[in-house]
Amino acid sequence: MICDHGSNDGSTERIKLDFPDVIVINADSTLWWTGAINHCVSYVLQHAAASDYLLTLNNDTELPANYLSELAAYSSKYPHAVLSSVVYDIATGKIFKIGERQNWLTARARSVMFEYDHVTGDESIIEVTHASGRGAMFPVAAFRLLGLYDQQHLPHYGADDDFAHKARRAGFPIYVCKNCRVFAYVEANRMTTARNQFSLINFIEYLTSIRSAANFKVRWWYGWNNCPKMLFPSYIVVDFLRIVASYFKHFLLAKP
């Protein structure tokens, strides 16, 4: 299933021609990521059985031929879990992200490695605290229990990680599966452009644009929804200082 929210390049027609079995939901371009994915989740909830799963994929991803069979094998072994994928950079073929464990005290998410962080008895699985929309498979039961992604506060960035945190707190553990690989165009985002062109306007856009993962409003609500309230004041201050420092550090370390 695909949500086509406002494309004007003939995508819907091409999908219907080349993949007639794919369900296309058409909507306007104001939905952004969260609204579009919520349209698809709502459709699935109307038609899915209680034991079904829902897999989210972004539009910048490509999958190897054995991807679904690998996911099915892991879901048989871990039936009540959220299963996420290792993300590879499609341009280089190298691993871009395995997964992370959020530390609210330091306002950082620590990257994990299979060599050191795998679960006991299974070196191909790591338990993490959240998962992105680039290849995450949820039991449908998680959405029936928790509802949809937070479209109001997190319209584009952060809603995927936010929902994963909620699912984990509700008793759905989150595992990264070593053999489930997703290839993504990791540099194809507006934040990269903003960071590569130093100016006051781009700095403000970096902190306010709906297309930026550094959007302060998004980071506020992501923290508010998930961080222990006792830690939230220090978390949001440290997080804000870190993303501002990251912006300027990018230019200080840039090669002339």
Side-chain angles (χ1 to χ4, degrees):
M1 177 188 305
I2 292 175
C3 181
D4 181 349
H5 50 116
S7 72
N8 55 11
D9 59 357
S11 293
T12 293
E13 292 73 17
R14 182 64 181 270
I15 292 169
K16 290 181 176 179
L17 179 64
D18 293 347
F19 307 99
D21 294 331
V22 172
I23 298 169
V24 179
I25 297 176
N26 292 105
D28 64 72
S29 59
T30 63
L31 290 180
W32 297 97
W33 185 90
T34 311
I37 205 74
N38 277 344
H39 266 52
C40 293
V41 173
S42 297
Y43 181 93
V44 170
L45 293 179
Q46 294 174 24
H47 297 84
S51 59
D52 284 342
Y53 289 82
L54 186 152
L55 171 65
T56 63
L57 291 167
N58 288 354
N59 63 332
D60 63 347
T61 54
E62 295 184 13
L63 309 176
N66 65 340
Y67 179 74
L68 293 179
S69 61
E70 290 287 352
L71 268 179
Y74 281 115
S75 67
S76 297
K77 189 173 183 179
Y78 303 97
H80 194 65
V82 178
L83 303 177
S84 65
S85 309
V86 179
V87 179
Y88 287 74
D89 186 341
I90 201 167
T92 64
K94 297 180 179 180
I95 291 178
F96 170 69
K97 179 180 287 187
I98 295 174
E100 297 174 328
R101 291 175 179 168
Q102 180 69 49
N103 185 324
W104 299 112
L105 185 62
T106 62
R108 297 186 71 89
R110 180 180 71 84
S111 297
V112 295
M113 300 179 65
F114 285 100
E115 292 86 346
Y116 308 110
D117 300 306
H118 61 80
V119 302
T120 302
D122 192 340
E123 296 184 358
S124 68
I125 287 288
I126 303 175
E127 185 168 7
V128 292
T129 56
H130 53 284
S132 78
R134 286 172 168 157
M137 190 170 77
F138 294 82
V140 166
F143 291 97
R144 295 201 191 281
L145 177 65
L146 301 170
L148 303 177
Y149 292 91
D150 187 354
Q151 183 175 351
Q152 178 182 358
H153 299 122
L154 303 168
H156 192 56
Y157 275 105
D160 47 1
D161 289 337
D162 173 69
F163 187 86
H165 277 291
K166 293 176 183 176
R168 181 171 177 265
R169 291 195 299 270
F172 298 89
I174 304 173
Y175 297 123
V176 180
C177 309
K178 186 175 185 178
N179 297 325
C180 296
R181 299 174 299 151
V182 167
F183 293 86
Y185 295 88
V186 299
E187 290 299 323
N189 60 71
R190 180 64 186 90
M191 188 175 69
T192 301
T193 303
R195 290 184 64 178
N196 286 340
Q197 299 174 0
F198 182 80
S199 70
L200 179 60
I201 292 176
N202 278 329
F203 176 61
I204 293 172
E205 184 177 7
Y206 175 72
L207 295 178
T208 61
S209 172
I210 195 172
R211 297 179 181 273
S212 173
N215 181 301
F216 181 69
K217 182 179 178 180
V218 166
R219 303 186 77 85
W220 172 282
W221 281 110
Y222 172 73
W224 182 258
N225 287 348
N226 300 290
C227 179
K229 293 301 182 283
M230 183 179 297
L231 297 177
F232 179 74
S234 63
Y235 164 79
I236 197 63
V237 170
V238 173
D239 185 64
F240 178 72
L241 292 175
R242 182 172 55 80
I243 63 173
V244 170
S246 175
Y247 181 85
F248 290 100
K249 181 180 179 181
H250 175 77
F251 295 101
L252 290 174
L253 297 181
K255 294 181 179 180

